[in-house]
Amino acid sequence: MISIATARAAAARHGITFLMGLASGLPLLLTGSVLQAWMTDAGVALDAVGLLALIGIPYTLKFLWAPLLDRFELPFLGRRRGWLVLTQLLLASLIVVLALSDPGFAPLTVGIVALGISFFSATQDIIIDAYRREHLPEKELGIGSSLYTYGYRTGMLFASGGGLMLADSIGFRATYLTMAALLGFCMLVTLMAPEPGAQRPAHPQSWRDTFLDPIRNFMTRPGAVWLLLFILLYKLGDSVAGNLTTPFYKSLGFSNAEIGATVKIFGFWPLLGGIFLGGLVILRIGIYRSLWWFGLLQMLSTAGFIWLNHVGHSITVLAAVVSFENAAAGMGTAAFLAFMAALTDKRFTAGQYALLSSIMGLPRVVISAPGGILSEAVGWDGFFLICTLAAIPGLMILWYFRQWRDIADSPKR
């Protein structure tokens, strides 16, 4: 029987996890779709607006400076909260600077400030990922990953949908100031949160040790290369397929309004439901078995696009396929994030998790790029069949290394 005090402590931990997820998701689209809309309205040339995609580079390179956040500690609030408060303060300050800028008059300045926001946003992600790993008990990593992702998606929704609606009524400048204030609220959460008591690494003997120790530590474990390969492959098919879904919908005759209402708005709720349900299932059957079952669901959901291709223009079938795909992706993401967290050594949490999450993002950022060439060569049926089959190598690795259940579901230091 769980005591009231234990239940309250767990609720407090997961409330912090959700709000930190919101803080992570909030800045992402402030330098993406919202900034694109502001610069377009300000009359900035389309080629310059297109270059905003480069602002996301820090998210793919964050593993380069993550080890510094493991090794060094500021003289206030502890290793995690000290860095997090400083990062959030700088992040909110740069959002205010961006709000007071004029993209029509000085687009280059706006781009530089946005790049700074992206850098500190990626740094915030590093620290929050490490905090979640160290703050949550092993058995709560699954539900914690779900609530973090839930908060992350909520923050993205606030910034994108909420930000664009606010911009229509109060203008972009006031909208960005509002988002900076919301991030200030997240800073209060950081100040009130407890500092996790993780084991600290020894003081670095050299800069080389600072950056190599997390990698050495990870690579000494049995099957380390296979673990990295699994992280690369687990969501490969899902990521490559998702990169081209909008052109696919358009090819079937769906309008922008139909895609927006069905895929973006209606499909958002099955995604959140899948994330939350995934966390509950992980609590019951563990991370390893959840990875297996959710991976199969992701594979089947990708095959659903083949069905949609044969049915053609049908809002009902579109809603069904998108709901299944989003729910399966949400469950798979919850288990995957929990598994990566379980892999990290608490002495090198920030560096190792940043490395693993960067590898996880490769299919979405790099491998998906030639997907358009593939779809033109083999057609939509062939493309989605290949994406479906692309899930098999990751599942085979997971099945072969059944001993990984000891990594995922057993208590560690």
Side-chain angles (χ1 to χ4, degrees), residues 9 16 74 77 126 178 194 217 219 254 259 280 294 297 309 323 344 393 407:
I16 292 170
L74 296 177
L77 295 178
I126 294 169
T178 301
N217 173 268
M219 296 306 295
F254 291 103
I259 295 171
L280 295 179
F294 297 165
L297 287 176
N309 190 41
S323 296
T344 60
I407 298 175

Side-chain angles (χ1 to χ4, degrees), residues 118-138:
S118 179
F119 172 80
F120 287 111
S121 177
T123 303
Q124 179 185 234
D125 289 352
I126 294 169
I127 304 165
I128 289 177
D129 286 337
Y131 182 95
R132 185 176 74 254
R133 170 67 179 100
E134 296 169 2
H135 181 56
L136 297 178
E138 302 289 337

Side-chain angles (χ1 to χ4, degrees), residues 66-380:
L68 297 175
L69 304 174
D70 273 331
R71 286 293 195 175
F72 301 107
E73 181 177 331
L74 296 177
F76 54 86
L77 295 178
R79 182 168 56 153
R80 298 307 178 202
R81 292 191 308 143
W83 281 115
L84 187 53
V85 165
L86 177 62
T87 299
Q88 289 176 332
L89 179 62
L90 293 171
L91 189 53
S93 300
L94 282 176
I95 293 174
V96 171
V97 172
L98 186 61
L100 300 178
S101 303
D102 186 346
F105 179 73
L108 180 60
T109 300
V110 167
I112 293 172
V113 174
L115 182 62
I117 292 173
S118 179
F119 172 80
F120 287 111
S121 177
T123 303
Q124 179 185 234
D125 289 352
I126 294 169
I127 304 165
I128 289 177
D129 286 337
Y131 182 95
R132 185 176 74 254
R133 170 67 179 100
E134 296 169 2
H135 181 56
L136 297 178
E138 302 289 337
K139 64 181 180 180
E140 295 180 7
L141 286 177
I143 190 68
S145 295
S146 295
L147 288 170
Y148 167 80
T149 308
Y150 198 93
Y152 191 90
R153 293 285 181 172
T154 303
M156 289 177 63
L157 187 64
F158 280 170
S160 58
L164 291 174
M165 287 188 290
L166 275 177
D168 276 348
S169 58
I170 64 175
F172 281 103
R173 178 164 295 174
T175 296
Y176 274 84
L177 291 175
T178 301
M179 296 300 166
L182 185 55
L183 193 59
F185 165 76
C186 295
M187 199 184 308
L188 292 178
V189 174
T190 302
L191 290 171
M192 292 186 292
E195 175 70 13
Q199 182 182 358
R200 301 175 185 176
H203 188 75
Q205 299 300 312
S206 66
W207 286 101
R208 181 179 178 182
D209 289 340
T210 297
F211 291 98
L212 290 184
D213 278 357
I215 298 174
R216 288 194 195 111
N217 173 268
F218 186 89
M219 296 306 295
T220 55
R221 69 180 62 199
V225 174
W226 288 104
L227 281 167
L228 295 178
L229 189 60
F230 169 73
I231 290 169
L232 177 68
L233 295 177
Y234 181 69
K235 291 183 75 69
L236 174 62
D238 183 58
S239 298
V240 175
N243 193 50
L244 286 180
T245 51
T246 297
F248 169 62
Y249 301 143
K250 298 284 286 183
S251 73
L252 296 180
F254 291 103
S255 67
N256 289 330
E258 288 172 332
I259 295 171
T262 307
V263 179
K264 303 301 183 183
I265 298 176
F266 178 79
F268 179 72
W269 303 106
L271 175 66
L272 294 187
I275 292 169
F276 188 71
L277 178 61
L280 295 179
V281 173
I282 292 168
L283 277 177
R284 184 170 183 83
I285 69 174
I287 297 172
Y288 177 84
R289 286 202 292 167
S290 296
L291 280 170
W292 177 256
W293 289 112
F294 297 165
L296 288 175
L297 287 176
Q298 286 179 162
M299 183 177 173
L300 290 174
S301 70
T302 302
F305 291 111
I306 301 175
W307 175 42
L308 177 60
N309 190 41
H310 285 269
V311 172
H313 188 282
S314 169
I315 293 295
T316 302
V317 176
L318 175 64
V321 169
V322 167
S323 296
F324 183 27
E325 199 275 335
N326 282 1
M331 289 187 283
T333 298
F336 202 33
L337 293 181
F339 181 67
M340 289 199 304
L343 289 178
T344 60
D345 187 309
K346 288 187 177 181
R347 294 171 297 172
F348 310 101
T349 314
Q352 289 184 353
Y353 197 97
L355 175 64
L356 297 179
S357 61
S358 295
I359 293 173
M360 179 189 73
L362 283 177
R364 175 176 52 84
V365 177
V366 179
I367 301 176
S368 296
I373 300 173
L374 178 63
S375 64
E376 288 184 350
V378 300
W380 287 118

